[in-house]
Amino acid sequence: MSVNMVELSVKAAEPIRTAGILQQNRVFLDFFWDLAKPDQEVRLKAIEDLIQYLKTNNKADELEYTFKRLVDGLGHTREAARPGFSLALGQVLSSFEDVPLQNILNRIKDKHNLQAVKKKLLRNALFGNLFGVLALHQSSRLSKEPQVVLGCVQLLQSLSQHRQHLKDLPTKTMMDILTEIPEEVFEEVLLSALQTDLASAFRTPEQLQLLLVALQRFPQTLKPKKLKKLLGSSTIINADNIPKLTEVLKMAALSVKKERVLPAVVLDLLKLSLKEDSFQLFWNNAIVNGMLKEQPGPTHYLSFRLLGSALPLLSVAQLKEVLSGGVMMHYGEHVVSAQKPDRFKLAPEMDSYVSDFLQGCQDPDKQLAVMVGFSSLTNQGYPVVPSVWRVVQHLQPAALRRYVEWLKKTFLQPRLDELLDFSTRKQKDNQEGREQKENSVLRLRKWIIARLSSIIDNHQVKRQEDLIMDVARFVFFHAFFSAKKASADIPETGGKLSVPLDDKTRGVLVNSFFGLLLSMHHLPQSEESAEGAPANQKRALGVTADGTMWIYHLVQYAQVLLNQPKHVQSSQPFSPEQRQAWDSMLESVANLNKKAKKGPTAENTAFQQLFLLVGMHLFKAPEELLDIMKDLQSCVDKAQEKKTKKKKKKKQATEQEEEPEWVEVMVDILLSLLSQPSRHIRQVCKAVFSSICPHVTAAALTAILDVLDPEKDEEDCAVVVTDDNKTQKKPDEEDEEEHDEEMEEDDESDGLDDDSDEDEDDDEEDDEPMEEEEEELEAEEVDQNFRLELMKVLQQQNALATEEDGSDEDLDDEAMMKLDKGMAALFSEQKKKTQAKRDEKTKLHKEKTLVRDFRIKVLDLVEVFVARQAGSPLVLGLVEPLLTIIDRGMSSDSDQQEQDFLRRAADIFRNQLCRSKVYCRTVGDRQGELHDLLDKLMTTSQKLSDSSVCLYYFSASLYVVKVLRGAPPAESKEEQPADGAAPHDLSFMGGVDVDRVSSVFKEALSSFMSRRKSPLSAQMFTDLFNRFPVLCVNLLDAALQHITSGVRVHQQGQACVLVLRAMQSREVQQLLSGAPWTQLCVKVTGQLTTSLQQVPQADSKVVKEKVVKSLELAQFLVKHVQQQKLSVDLEPLQKVLQSLTGVITFKKTGKLEDTYWAVMKLFGVMKPKVEKTKPDKEEQQVPKKKKGFLPETKKRKKRMKPDSEAAGDSSASADKPGADEGQAKKKHDKKTKQKRLADGAAASQPSPAKKGKTHSESKAAKKKKKKKKQKKEGGGKL
């Protein structure tokens, strides 16, 4: 519309020109079209091109037309177009400074006149004026023309009345204009125009912000005297204005309710209060006593956002004041109450505010004040910020050190009165004085421990090694020791506990310490020490800058504590035997260190880690680990002796027969350590086993496999479970008691080193319905016994009604009391029995869960052994045990944990054992044993019922054949030609008894082809053929026979697939090259001919699939015979194929049809082309019934006139053009009747069925009938 109007105006303005702008330059007009497009890049490109075009051509009429189009586009109906036209107008004005801005402003006012515009176009006109002013502002020329500035401001003032459309955009535009004009222009021109707006600054947030912007830009003009004239006071923030400011702040909070942001006017007010030195007045009266007196909602959220935004602006004293006031208290209540999922949470916003502040602030004092302030906000002792608060990573090293010192001091001497503590309503109702105070101390200490641990665990934190060691020493000291007397050598003895540590806190400390050990085990070496290392070398983990392990430093610290009993007391003192084990551990580590200096090895490092870790765990469970420590020391000693004294093996042979090998003892130690609920121990055990893998014996491997076998070693497993339960009892009880009290953040910090605790909790929740079902099953048995006891009680009190007694006689009060006591005792006893049974079931289930978890850990050792010793003959002993695990796991109804165990075992077996490129190549004297194993595996696989389990057994059989074959000789590899493998290379089978193995697989193949339900599949034999061509050649005849002799049609098709895959193999073609290959082709041709002759006429899906497989084989065979020009008679096959069309009905297209014609094409027979014939329209026409017409069977039979009379009448009526309406109607009826009669059977055949219809017709049939009727009615209307 606008384009057409422009065309007319241009042509009318210049009638002399032979062609208007439209016809003159289409490129020029396309710029304006692009300005209205939604794509921003297209609009920006159009603006650049337009300005370049105008500067190049420099034509006055085009410039005039440009201004007209741009001003018109300011009020465009498309929202995306308005900014494009506005920006274009501003850039054009900036480029052509000789154009007066006043003319453009007048043109904007005239074009988008609010008085003359229609009501429907008022919104467009409003935006046209607004974007016009924005364009003038963007031209950067407003400051040069003061009158235009005044006109723009006046126009914006008139627009500000239409808030329903423009909201606060006019006021914001005025603020933008004020930021660019000089003070002289403001004082001379704008001050008088803006006087009304500035005087009413306390009415709306926009007007207040306008005043604040003017104060910031023109402080010399708006002096206190001028402010007093405008507002009645020389300052904005004072006691008289606080109520007005509070109301404005409330309005601002409601205006951004949906946007969830901090209004700019609020932050400007805060900055002004700091400038006027009235921050305390503003904060306490306007925010705390004003905004926070409202109900929780937008006003509270605005206060919290203002607190976060104010952090960079405040001094240290102001930060401490604000962070210990009412806003923080309300923020803490919000965080606690917003834990429910549907509540709005402002905590993430506050985290970003604090993170931005810490990142931008370089003052350690301010950083410390903020961290201490937020950490001091507690809910009954527990801080509301999470213990793993990520903002700590932005702290400066000095601030971090001071923050850690504050945490340690608060742990030792918790002063709850110095914290900003609050309680919810429910907590206030349940408060009980002293107990509540002790509970608060426990909660605070628990959070502090988790906070210290998370600082070490977060690798982004800028912490130094001495700080890490300081935290680890602090946690270790208070977990296992207490100070008697201060010592200069032990700084931790200097701090005294104001409240003694209870057992729960010590339990948390112990768990946190071992979690710290795990974190330190994964700590990368500091960057300073890593600078000298080569670029490609990985940074060492778990060591300090000098290369010493972190845990070694902690062991040395523990030794210092143990050697000073006067100053330090252990919470669990060592017995003499335990102390001796500790000392011998230190000695063993020292010996390993000496040997490591000569030549460091992974084995030495692993043994050191194991010694040190078991030594640290002595403090936690000394009785359990004492024997393990002794065995470990003897094992390491024997291992070292074996290396240094190899010559004495023969002399000690008899002794070694009596005593177990050191590796076997070491494996037993590792298995017992794996029962400990510690991820750190699990990782160290894995590393140690990796280092001793080359020394593992068959007995040691058997010990590992016995653990994985459910039927073996059940008693030992039960012992392990019992021990685990004892060690895990305290943390579990603690978690259950405090689960309801503490917030969600606490869950992330507890039990860092305990994987199985969480699993146990989950399993307990999952098993509640299971326990209920079991109780229901036993209810009948319980009811019988309970019923007898109940009858006895009732009979003793004569409470049972008999035939002789009356039923309406009541017992007296004394008898009733006795009866109640007896029944209460009976029900109480019954309840105890039920609870005892339930506890027993829960205990048994926990034991099963722990056993499964233990076996999953033991699989780590199996995985390590397979990865490190894949070429060892011992790996062959893993095949059957792993298959047994998979078989039992598949057949049992397992829960999630059992499925994880099964999935892990299957992955180790298939991906790391069977598919490994490294395998045992030196079978030695075990060839007979492996052949027996192969027989056993294949026999078992045929008896299985699950095909998925059979797949693993078949993979194991292929693995055994691969091991028996071994690697081909090196000479044959060197002599191998470039074009492919030589035949003698392909026939190499190493130690495989080809006849025996072929008979085994031949038996399996016949089982697959002769059984209706076989677990074997064609894909298994395809893998066998691909990997072992020699066996493929031996099995080919058997597979070929089953093309016709398969028990089912499906098996016959699968036999075709196997033969096809075998013939497609290059290796098989090379092995059978020459006459054998020709004979094979002849046999395949005969079998295919016989098979296709036997195809039944039934068009079943299975038969068609078999025919497709046969045709695919025939296609390869015919093509190959023709290419190689082999002497094979294909004529019988061709005849059978030609007769196949009479047996099976072919469609136009499909896999069967396409494959068939592809084969026939090889014989020279092309697929016949079907000519598309258009059906006769008259024959295809369906009679269309009019609305309301009855079917023929429902009509009354009328006398039909003879055909001659009907023809005569019709011709007579046709000859008379002036026939009346009745005759025309008769004519129409006759035509429709003739049409129906012509269709004959279509109308007459369904009539009996329609007559015989009953009320039992289905709904689907009725719907069909309705649809057909509607279609016919539609046709009648047409």
Side-chain angles (χ1 to χ4, degrees), residues 1033-1069:
V1033 170
N1034 293 346
L1035 294 175
L1036 202 50
D1037 288 339
L1040 194 57
Q1041 294 301 321
H1042 292 298
I1043 292 179
T1044 53
S1045 64
V1047 67
R1048 288 191 305 172
V1049 177
H1050 173 71
Q1051 266 93 342
Q1052 295 174 10
Q1054 295 299 314
C1056 293
V1057 172
L1058 291 178
V1059 175
L1060 175 61
R1061 296 291 177 265
M1063 294 184 72
Q1064 287 175 338
S1065 171
R1066 283 188 180 182
E1067 291 83 357
V1068 173
Q1069 292 176 12

Side-chain angles (χ1 to χ4, degrees), residues 765-779 838 841:
E765 293 173 4
D766 295 340
D767 293 326
E768 287 176 3
M770 182 189 71
E771 290 176 359
E772 292 175 3
E773 291 176 5
E774 291 176 357
E775 286 173 13
E776 289 174 5
L777 292 173
E778 295 182 0
R838 188 180 304 168
K841 289 172 189 172

Side-chain angles (χ1 to χ4, degrees), residues 947 950-951 954 1008 1014-1022 1054 1058:
S947 181
C950 181
L951 179 61
F954 203 88
F1008 169 55
S1014 174
L1016 299 167
S1017 65
Q1019 184 60 44
M1020 298 178 187
F1021 290 99
T1022 304
Q1054 295 299 314
L1058 291 178

Side-chain angles (χ1 to χ4, degrees), residues 363-405:
D363 187 357
D365 295 331
K366 288 186 177 182
Q367 287 187 337
L368 180 66
V370 171
M371 290 302 299
V372 170
F374 277 94
S375 301
S376 301
L377 179 60
T378 58
N379 173 32
Q380 288 194 339
Y382 198 88
V384 298
V385 295
S387 58
V388 289
W389 210 18
R390 299 287 181 190
V391 299
V392 74
Q393 66 194 32
H394 302 302
L395 287 178
Q396 297 294 323
L400 179 64
R401 185 175 294 279
R402 291 166 62 184
Y403 179 56
V404 169
E405 290 298 327

Side-chain angles (χ1 to χ4, degrees), residues 459-477:
H459 293 178
Q460 303 295 326
V461 178
K462 305 166 187 172
R463 62 229 187 304
Q464 298 172 350
E465 287 189 353
D466 56 344
L467 179 68
I468 297 171
M469 198 64 207
D470 187 36
V471 171
R473 285 163 56 127
F474 180 82
V475 176
F476 174 74
F477 179 84

Side-chain angles (χ1 to χ4, degrees), residues 271-298:
K271 292 177 181 177
L272 183 64
S273 69
L274 292 170
K275 186 178 179 182
E276 293 182 352
D277 199 17
S278 56
F279 169 74
Q280 195 169 4
L281 174 69
F282 169 73
W283 190 261
N284 292 335
N285 294 350
I287 302 299
V288 178
N289 296 325
M291 302 287 283
L292 295 180
K293 294 298 180 184
E294 298 290 320
Q295 289 295 322

Side-chain angles (χ1 to χ4, degrees), residues 993-1003 1030-1031 1034-1035:
D993 186 348
V994 177
D995 295 335
R996 181 177 176 182
V997 173
S998 299
S999 63
V1000 169
F1001 284 108
K1002 194 175 293 184
E1003 183 183 349
V1030 175
L1031 298 178
N1034 293 346
L1035 294 175

Side-chain angles (χ1 to χ4, degrees), residues 295-396:
Q295 289 295 322
T299 55
H300 284 226
Y301 301 149
L302 183 141
S303 304
F304 303 152
R305 292 187 179 106
L306 181 61
L307 170 66
S309 302
L311 295 177
L313 306 173
L314 304 180
S315 63
V316 176
Q318 290 169 337
L319 282 171
K320 290 180 180 178
E321 181 183 356
V322 167
L323 294 175
S324 61
V327 178
M328 282 292 285
M329 186 79 76
H330 282 83
Y331 172 69
E333 292 175 356
H334 160 75
V335 172
V336 174
S337 63
Q339 293 299 319
K340 296 180 180 179
D342 297 335
R343 301 280 182 90
F344 168 67
K345 298 176 178 61
L346 196 129
E349 291 184 43
M350 187 62 76
D351 289 351
S352 62
Y353 281 127
V354 177
S355 180
D356 294 341
F357 163 73
L358 294 176
Q359 206 166 357
C361 176
Q362 302 299 321
D363 187 357
D365 295 331
K366 288 186 177 182
Q367 287 187 337
L368 180 66
V370 171
M371 290 302 299
V372 170
F374 277 94
S375 301
S376 301
L377 179 60
T378 58
N379 173 32
Q380 288 194 339
Y382 198 88
V384 298
V385 295
S387 58
V388 289
W389 210 18
R390 299 287 181 190
V391 299
V392 74
Q393 66 194 32
H394 302 302
L395 287 178
Q396 297 294 323

